[in-house]
Structures are given as C-alpha cells and as structure tokens.
Amino acid sequence: MDDYMFRSYVEECRSVEEATNYVEIFNYSDPFYNSCEEHSLTEDEFHNFLHRRGAFSPPETMREGTRLLSGMRLIVQKNAKDKHTFTPKVISLPKDSYEAMVRVMKLPFRGIETTSVVGPFFWSSLDQDDEDPHLQIIHRKSDVRKKGRTRGWEMMLSHSFETNITTGYLKGTSSSDVVSALQYLRACSAQIGHPMLLPVIILSYDLSPANDQRQRDARDWLRRLENAVSLRNEVEEHEQYFQDGLLEVDGLNRDLVECHGHVMWKRPQAYWALAEEMEKAMERCHEKMAAAHVRRLRLLNEETQRVGDAEKQHYKVLRKLHRSMTARLDFYKVKLKGLENYIHTTLERLKVQREALYNIMSQREARLNLEIAGEQRRIAHASKRDSTAMKTISLMGTLFLPGTYLASVFSMTFFNFQETAHPVSVDLWIYFAVTIPITAAIVAIWVWFDRRREAQYARDDEDLEQNIDKMEKDIMFHLRKRTMSKAHTWNSLSSPPRP
C-alpha cells in the first residue's frame, strides 16, 4: 500500500530546481579514517552518491581490525530559493531522482504526503524490515508565503541499527537554521551514531532564546499600548500614539493587532506536542540501539579486542548523548510550559486593552453622533430662521407698502397735470413727511424683532450644547453605575449579607 501511494503522490508532484550538496560523516574504530565532508552534488553524480560508487565508495584498504562505528549520509539543499519550493505537491528534485533517493536510502514513503503540512511536525516509526530495522523520521516546518516566497525546512531520516548509519534528505530556505544546524552537526561528528541528534539540533535552533526575546519585546510593546490606552503619565506626547496632543485610535488599534500576531508566533502548545513525539522516538531508539550494540559485541572475537573496546567506548558516548538529549527535551518542555503561561497573560492583557479601546471608540462615536445631531438641529433652526425671514419680507411686501399705498392716495390731489395749473402741488412735502417716518418705524420694529429672535436662537443653541454635554454625562454616569454596582459585579446567586 505504501509503495503504491508513494508512486501516485510522486506522479502528482511537479519538480523545481534547487542547488544540491551532500554531507558525509564517518567514524571508525581507528580515528585515522574518520571523515567529515560537504561538497556540491551534480546531477550526473547523484546516483553514484546513492549507491556509494565511484568517488563515494568506501575505503578499499584499511588497517586490520578497523571497523565502521557510525556514519551519516545526507543530501542537502540548504539555500532553497524557488518561491514554490515548499508549496503542496512540489519536490525540488527530478521525480526519478527523488524516487530513487527514497528507495535506496530507505527514507519514509510518507514524506511525500507531508508537502502540505504547516507548522512544526515530527513523526517517527520503525519500518517493516525485521532483518535490518530502520528508524524513520520526518521532521519539518513550512509556512505560507511571505513577500511572495515560502519559508521553512524539511528533513527525512532513516537510521539502520545494524550498520549504525543514518541516511537522509534535508532542505531549507535561507531564512531557516539549516546552515547553522549543519555546522553544529559537523562539530558533533563523533556523536552522529544517534539518529535523533540532527532533529534535536534543529529543535534547539527553533526554540532559541530569540523566541523568548520576541515574547519579551511583545510584552514591552503591550506595556506601551496599555499606557497609551489608559492615558498614563508614562506616555510622552511625542510618541506615535499621539497626534497634535490627541490619542490616535487608528494607530493604536493597528498596533494591538500587530502585537497580538507577535505573541502568537511559535505557539508553545505545538512545540510541546512535538517534544513529546521526540521523546517517544528517543525511547524506540534507545531500545534498538542497546539490542544492536549487544549483537555487535557478540560478533567480535578475541582477535578484535581493540575493535570491541572502540565499540564500547562509542556506545558509551551515544548513551551519554542520549541522556543529554532526553534532559534537553525535558528542559524544553518546562521552558515551553512557562512560556505558555507568559503568553496567556499577555493575551489576556491584550484582550483587556482591546475592549478598553473599543469602549473609547464607542464613546467617541457616541460623541460624534451627538455632535451630528446638534449640527442637524442647528441646521434645522437656521432653515427655520431663513423661512421666517422670507415670510416676514413677504408679509411686509404684501401688507406694508406704505409708500405705494400713500402715493396712490395722495396722487389724486397732489399732482395736477393741466396746462394752466402748476404741475407739482405745494403740499407734496406731506407725502414725504408721512411716508418716511412710517417706513422707518416699520423697519425699526422689524430690526428689533429680528434681533430679539436671533438672541432667542442663540440661547436655544447654547441650551442645545448644554443638553448634549448633560446627555453624555448622564449616559456615562449610568454606565459607570451599572458597571460598579455590587449587584451586577458579584454573583447574584450568592446569599445576601447578614444584617
């Protein structure tokens, strides 16, 4: 079943091209033959490396009694650059080369099914080979695209307990810790007989102190946000959360979201589960390593006593390393537990500040709505005043046109257009003497009435502003009263206090 599914998944994948290297580390009973190499691996030499042919063949002549103690053979792509290299159903080797690598190195077939896995992932199991059992490991972490490129790394390992050789495939982008992990691995070349060495090294870099520092920075950022939301004295007006002396709600809300994203980076719960899976793999590895060590010692006779001593010393180093890595995994679990509590507190404080900011925004919106209502009322009053003025003018035009009226009255006797008569009567002054005072009186009365009406409108506008402020204070008073009331704060099901 695994073979068929592996072939079908490989056929569905498409290939991208990445620069490929190889890493070979071997430890012998005679340290003279120990080797640690890393070089580029061309396509024409790829299959020679898999089958250990040509330049990759084992040493033909060695001193008598020299025996291979442990080894590691890796195909490495440590600076993957293609933007699709960690997208689902994508492999960074030709299909035939990828399939040959998995089969010859006895890597886990299920590795091809993890191309769409995100976040930290670790899986280990023993294969079905009873004569030469292998511990198979899949350890990877990939993420969605950022700035058009995928990020992450993946690793497939297979460890033979009979030969004590670990084979595998390792790939990572430039943002991963693959390069540093390989440097660490070469520095620990004497301990490569343990198959969990490289996964624990990768985990160590993934849980480096930089992760703790990121959480400390997020907490410091949160403290500044709290000071800004609470308008404490610790906040300086020149900080980015203030503009012209006023709190900038949009920038504050944006930074709350960004801070929340920083806190959620590398969740401890995921790495806790990963550490537990690694502990299970350590248990499987310890049992098989002990059994394989006993079998190898039985095969050694008295003539190879020196080889037996080297085997025992090597196994002693591996046991010490095993205890060290087990203790390190316990250390990471305790560290992750404390980090989880720290993050939980940060998230709760972020929640409080977000709710407080929403309250501030609601108050500002309520205040804005009140101001809009006041402006609408003032506009209505202005419209009413304009209509009243027009009504007054119309009324004056239709009812109070004294000049026209008096002119029509006095025109009958004041003017005489006969040839023998004087064209203008000597009593014309009466027209002006009556018209001008009456017109001036009417205009004065209208001006006095209009000013009185404008004063009344001004008092109405002032009362409106006071009503808005009073309305806002009443609303806030009732909100605080409901919030601070013991009847609403304490559990209503509890028994009333005794008198």
Short mmCIF file of all heavy atoms in Angstrom, two decimals, residues 308-318:
data_model
loop_
_atom_site.label_atom_id
_atom_site.label_comp_id
_atom_site.label_asym_id
_atom_site.label_seq_id
_atom_site.Cartn_x
_atom_site.Cartn_y
_atom_site.Cartn_z
N GLY A 308 36.47 -4.11 19.75
CA GLY A 308 35.43 -4.18 20.77
C GLY A 308 35.53 -3.04 21.77
O GLY A 308 34.51 -2.49 22.19
N ASP A 309 36.74 -2.69 22.14
CA ASP A 309 36.90 -1.56 23.06
C ASP A 309 36.41 -0.26 22.41
O ASP A 309 35.77 0.57 23.07
CB ASP A 309 38.36 -1.43 23.46
CG ASP A 309 38.83 -2.62 24.30
OD1 ASP A 309 37.95 -3.30 24.87
OD2 ASP A 309 40.05 -2.85 24.37
N ALA A 310 36.72 -0.07 21.12
CA ALA A 310 36.25 1.12 20.43
C ALA A 310 34.73 1.14 20.33
O ALA A 310 34.09 2.20 20.48
CB ALA A 310 36.88 1.19 19.03
N GLU A 311 34.14 -0.07 20.11
CA GLU A 311 32.68 -0.17 20.05
C GLU A 311 32.06 0.19 21.39
O GLU A 311 31.07 0.94 21.45
CB GLU A 311 32.28 -1.58 19.63
CG GLU A 311 30.79 -1.86 19.68
CD GLU A 311 30.01 -1.10 18.62
OE1 GLU A 311 30.60 -0.79 17.57
OE2 GLU A 311 28.81 -0.82 18.87
N LYS A 312 32.62 -0.30 22.46
CA LYS A 312 32.09 0.00 23.78
C LYS A 312 32.23 1.49 24.10
O LYS A 312 31.32 2.09 24.66
CB LYS A 312 32.83 -0.84 24.83
CG LYS A 312 32.55 -2.32 24.74
CD LYS A 312 33.34 -3.09 25.80
CE LYS A 312 33.10 -4.59 25.69
NZ LYS A 312 33.89 -5.36 26.70
N GLN A 313 33.38 2.06 23.75
CA GLN A 313 33.58 3.47 24.02
C GLN A 313 32.60 4.33 23.20
O GLN A 313 32.04 5.31 23.70
CB GLN A 313 35.03 3.87 23.68
CG GLN A 313 35.36 5.32 23.97
CD GLN A 313 35.26 5.67 25.45
OE1 GLN A 313 35.46 4.81 26.32
NE2 GLN A 313 34.97 6.94 25.75
N HIS A 314 32.39 3.90 21.95
CA HIS A 314 31.45 4.65 21.10
C HIS A 314 30.03 4.55 21.65
O HIS A 314 29.29 5.55 21.68
CB HIS A 314 31.52 4.10 19.67
CG HIS A 314 30.68 4.87 18.69
ND1 HIS A 314 30.97 6.15 18.29
CD2 HIS A 314 29.52 4.52 18.04
CE1 HIS A 314 30.06 6.57 17.44
NE2 HIS A 314 29.17 5.60 17.27
N TYR A 315 29.64 3.37 22.09
CA TYR A 315 28.30 3.19 22.65
C TYR A 315 28.15 3.99 23.94
O TYR A 315 27.09 4.53 24.24
CB TYR A 315 28.04 1.71 22.89
CG TYR A 315 26.65 1.45 23.45
CD1 TYR A 315 25.51 1.66 22.68
CD2 TYR A 315 26.48 0.99 24.75
CE1 TYR A 315 24.24 1.42 23.17
CE2 TYR A 315 25.22 0.75 25.27
CZ TYR A 315 24.10 0.97 24.47
OH TYR A 315 22.85 0.74 24.98
N LYS A 316 29.23 4.08 24.70
CA LYS A 316 29.20 4.87 25.92
C LYS A 316 28.95 6.34 25.61
O LYS A 316 28.18 7.03 26.30
CB LYS A 316 30.52 4.70 26.68
CG LYS A 316 30.57 5.41 28.01
CD LYS A 316 31.90 5.15 28.72
CE LYS A 316 31.96 5.88 30.06
NZ LYS A 316 33.26 5.63 30.74
N VAL A 317 29.60 6.83 24.54
CA VAL A 317 29.38 8.22 24.11
C VAL A 317 27.93 8.43 23.68
O VAL A 317 27.29 9.44 24.01
CB VAL A 317 30.35 8.58 22.97
CG1 VAL A 317 30.00 9.94 22.38
CG2 VAL A 317 31.79 8.57 23.48
N LEU A 318 27.38 7.44 22.96
CA LEU A 318 25.99 7.57 22.50
C LEU A 318 25.01 7.53 23.66
O LEU A 318 24.00 8.25 23.66
CB LEU A 318 25.68 6.46 21.50
CG LEU A 318 26.44 6.51 20.17
CD1 LEU A 318 25.95 5.41 19.24
CD2 LEU A 318 26.27 7.87 19.50
#
